[in-house]
Amino acid sequence: MLRLHNSSFITFHHQFHNLSVFSSNKSSRVMAPPILSLALPSETGRVLSIQSHTVQGYVGNKSAVFPLQLLGYDVDPIMSVQFSNHTGKLLRYPTFKGQVLNGKQLWELIEGLEANNLLYYTHLLTGYIGSVSFLDTVLEVVSKLRSINPTLTYVCDPVLGDEGKLYVPQELVSVYREKVVPVASMLTPNQFEAEQLTGFRIASEQDGREACRHLHAAGPSKVVITSICIDGTLLLIGSHEKEKGQSPVQFKIVIPKIPAYFTGTGDLMTALLLGWSNKYPNNLEKAAELAVSSLQAVLSRTLKDYEKAGYDPQTSSLEIRLIQSQDDIRDPEITYNAHIYD
């Protein structure tokens, strides 16, 4: 449930009253309608999501916004890029067209929201960011949002790469490590990204747990390494430092390997972790169980539908079936359980 500290509420209440704009004519003064997402906010929260966007397919904001809405959040998306379709060649799209938002354009959008007293958010969510200048502006956005709501939760998916390969310029790694990680509330890297952020190799479960502790020391109280492959077994390792300096509660979830590659799954996973961890703020393992179970249900349905269409799903990357899986997103059955480390 959305809880506002007294100081935050007073600020919010004052800002909301500033929204009451009057227009005068000879006989009357008419009050403008309120912004309902501010006047009557969702009990769950209000999210600003800065991610990529494709017109067709589900990656970035297309993977994150709808699931968060199903879980009860008001979500305002900003598109860091807008492309006609996914850029991956494995999807057999011969080309793509579109636009890339730069840092100046991002800040103009923030200024527009601020000018209309619309910058009160409970959560900020970020995904793929392709340039240092844009990431620097995102850091300014974090600071601006926290000046309005000091209790803002910043959930960061540090999209750097996977399987030993960077997707972004090398210089972004140090910006994430030195500037972004310290201001994040929750971090959701994969194994390769966690290695990049910590500077050491993860070859065992103990290494994964140590990587989480290293990241806690840098800033975020919640860290979820969403996929680690150890001796052929795929794991999620989560860690929640409930009090600064105390030993974190750490756990793992064993995830079945599916012989196919999907697009947008990392974006969906981070959105689900945001959604469920806010509903269970002191039980990250329960939130992760719900997120993993939901994601696996989406992937299972996607595989079945490709097979139904007569296509071998092992031959290329697949577009997830998000709309068809909304019941599994809204009310997942927990089929994958967390095991808490001693």
Side-chain angles (χ1 to χ4, degrees), residues 201-336:
R201 185 168 177 266
I202 298 174
S204 67
E205 290 183 43
Q206 186 58 41
D207 291 341
R209 297 176 65 189
E210 183 57 34
C212 290
R213 285 190 284 267
H214 182 94
L215 292 167
H216 285 315
S221 62
K222 294 179 181 179
V223 178
V224 179
I225 305 179
T226 55
S227 60
I228 298 180
C229 190
I230 304 295
D231 298 326
T233 300
L234 189 63
L235 305 170
L236 173 149
I237 292 182
S239 187
H240 185 189
E241 187 183 54
K242 297 187 179 183
E243 295 291 338
K244 200 66 179 173
Q246 291 187 357
S247 295
V249 176
Q250 297 188 316
F251 60 91
K252 69 177 179 180
I253 299 176
V254 178
I255 304 171
K257 277 192 169 183
I258 298 175
Y261 178 81
F262 303 85
T263 62
T265 53
D267 308 316
L268 173 57
M269 184 64 181
T270 296
L272 293 171
L273 284 168
L274 185 162
W276 289 115
S277 67
N278 194 53
K279 291 175 183 286
Y280 297 96
N282 295 310
N283 194 342
L284 184 59
E285 56 270 28
K286 174 69 175 290
E289 287 177 339
L290 288 158
V292 169
S293 297
S294 184
L295 177 60
Q296 292 301 310
V298 173
L299 300 186
S300 177
R301 175 170 285 100
T302 299
L303 283 177
K304 290 177 182 177
D305 283 358
Y306 272 104
E307 290 168 351
K308 190 184 298 183
Y311 185 78
D312 180 0
Q314 297 185 35
T315 59
S316 67
S317 54
L318 311 174
E319 302 270 20
I320 56 176
R321 296 285 272 176
L322 203 61
I323 304 304
Q324 295 76 10
S325 304
Q326 56 188 284
D327 289 341
D328 296 311
I329 294 168
R330 187 186 294 110
D331 188 23
E333 176 185 355
I334 294 180
T335 50
Y336 299 95

Side-chain angles (χ1 to χ4, degrees), residues 2 48 72 96 109 136 162 170 195 246 249 253-254 297 333:
L2 177 60
L48 180 65
F96 66 93
L109 293 173
D136 283 339
D162 199 5
Q170 177 69 47
E195 291 174 337
Q246 291 187 357
V249 176
I253 299 176
V254 178
E333 176 185 355

Side-chain angles (χ1 to χ4, degrees), residues 50-103:
I50 304 174
Q51 299 197 60
S52 59
H53 171 82
T54 56
V55 176
Q56 193 281 327
Y58 293 95
V59 297
N61 268 330
K62 284 284 289 286
S63 279
V65 173
F66 179 62
L68 284 169
Q69 290 171 331
L70 287 177
L71 292 176
Y73 295 81
D74 284 316
V75 188
D76 292 346
I78 292 179
M79 316 310 184
S80 58
V81 303
Q82 178 166 253
F83 293 147
S84 55
N85 49 270
H86 195 275
T87 61
K89 294 181 180 177
L90 286 176
L91 283 168
R92 298 191 299 179
Y93 298 132
T95 187
F96 66 93
K97 300 287 186 180
Q99 301 82 37
V100 177
L101 197 72
N102 61 38

Side-chain angles (χ1 to χ4, degrees), residues 163-177:
E163 298 180 349
K165 182 180 178 181
L166 283 173
Y167 298 154
V168 299
Q170 177 69 47
E171 55 264 31
L172 258 74
V173 176
S174 60
V175 178
Y176 270 105
R177 185 187 298 152

